[in-house]
Amino acid sequence: MSQSVTFDPIWEEKYAGGHAQRYPWDVIVSFVFRSAPRDRPRSEVRILEVGCGTASNLWFAAREGFSVTGIDGSASAIATAKARFAEDGLDGDLSVGDFTDLAFEDATFDCVIDRGALTCCGHKAMARAVTEVQRVLKPGGRFFFNPYADSHSSARAGRQIEDGLTTDIAAGTLVGAGQIHFVGRREIDTLLAGGWTLHQVQRLELTDMLAPEGGIHAEWRIIAEKNR
C-alpha cells in the first residue's frame, strides 16, 4: 500500500464487517464540556470530528444539543452513523471525506476532534491534516489531537515503512490496526509550532504487567487553541 494514502483501507474492511463503537470516549466527553464556548446556545456551537468512524463521539455531542459534523474515509462507517442518528432522531452532517483536504470554509468550527484518526497516516499527511484543522477552526477554537506515542510497545513490533509509518504490527494493543504513525514529542512541537497555543500536552502510558516484558499502551492527549 502506498504511504501517500491518507485512509488505510483496512478500516473500510472493519466497518463493512460490523465494527462499531456505540458510546463516546470519556476523554472526548471531558474535552467537549470543557472546551465548547458557553456564551452561545449549544445549537450554535459547531463541532467537527475528523475520522469519526461510526460517530459515537458526535452522537453524544448531538444528544447534548451541539451542532455536529463528521467525516471519515469509510463509506460503511458513515452509513452506520447516519442510520443511528436517524433512528435516534438526531441531526448531524456526516459524510465521506479526506481530513487532509477538508471541504469546509475557513473559521467554521468551534472545536475539532481527532480521536486516534490522524495517527493512521504518515507524517506528511498528518501535517497537512493539522494545517487543515487550523484553517477550519475559528480563532480561539480548540483542537483535541490524539495520536499514538512512540513509546508504545506496538511501535517496536511491526515493519517500518516510509514517512514514519509502521505496519504489520504483531504485538501490543494495536495488532490488526493497519498502518500507524507513532509520534514523538519533537514532532508534536513541529506540528503545532505556528498559530497555536497549547493548553495540554499529556503522554498517557498504561503498562500491562501481565504482558510479556510489560506491554505499554502510549498515546498523546493534546489540546491546542487556534490563536486569535
Side-chain angles (χ1 to χ4, degrees):
M1 179 172 51
S2 169
Q3 290 80 266
S4 64
V5 174
T6 59
F7 174 70
D8 187 341
I10 194 173
W11 289 103
E12 172 58 24
E13 296 174 15
K14 288 177 179 289
Y15 288 122
H19 174 82
Q21 180 170 327
R22 185 160 181 82
Y23 296 105
W25 292 86
D26 57 351
V27 67
I28 299 302
V29 174
S30 295
F31 168 73
V32 168
F33 283 136
R34 292 175 180 174
S35 300
R38 300 182 182 181
D39 58 350
R40 283 178 279 137
R42 287 184 176 178
S43 60
E44 297 178 8
V45 175
R46 301 194 63 183
I47 298 174
L48 167 68
E49 183 170 13
V50 292
C52 65
T54 52
S56 60
N57 294 319
L58 296 179
W59 171 84
F60 139 74
R63 283 172 57 91
E64 292 296 324
F66 296 102
S67 175
V68 303
T69 300
I71 66 162
D72 198 274
S74 167
S76 294
I78 292 299
T80 298
K82 286 183 174 181
R84 187 183 188 194
F85 269 57
E87 180 181 353
D88 290 351
L90 298 174
D91 293 324
D93 178 10
L94 307 171
S95 62
V96 177
D98 181 350
F99 48 54
T100 69
D101 186 18
L102 296 174
F104 307 110
E105 295 183 0
D106 297 357
T108 297
F109 297 99
D110 297 284
C111 297
V112 177
I113 298 164
D114 159 48
R115 215 308 303 173
L118 272 59
T119 200
C120 295
C121 60
H123 171 75
K124 292 178 182 177
M126 182 181 285
R128 292 198 302 271
V130 170
T131 297
E132 278 290 270
V133 166
Q134 186 180 60
R135 179 183 65 80
V136 302
L137 267 175
K138 296 176 181 178
R142 294 198 174 189
F143 173 38
F144 182 83
F145 184 32
N146 181 219
Y148 291 112
D150 57 359
S151 55
H152 199 297
S153 293
S154 291
R156 302 180 296 279
R159 179 168 58 90
Q160 308 299 310
I161 57 177
E162 294 181 8
D163 207 23
L165 285 165
T166 300
T167 191
D168 300 331
I169 295 171
T173 59
L174 295 175
V175 173
Q179 63 181 28
I180 300 292
H181 179 41
F182 295 95
V183 179
R185 176 59 195 271
R186 182 174 297 180
E187 186 172 355
I188 294 293
D189 291 341
T190 299
L191 288 166
L192 300 171
W196 295 100
T197 296
L198 298 179
H199 290 280
Q200 173 181 296
V201 180
Q202 296 179 345
R203 186 174 67 186
L204 176 69
E205 292 190 356
L206 299 174
T207 303
D208 183 352
M209 303 307 294
L210 298 181
E213 299 180 0
I216 298 174
H217 174 93
E219 63 184 69
W220 293 100
R221 294 183 174 183
I222 298 164
I223 297 175
E225 179 179 320
K226 179 178 176 176
N227 291 345
R228 298 177 185 274

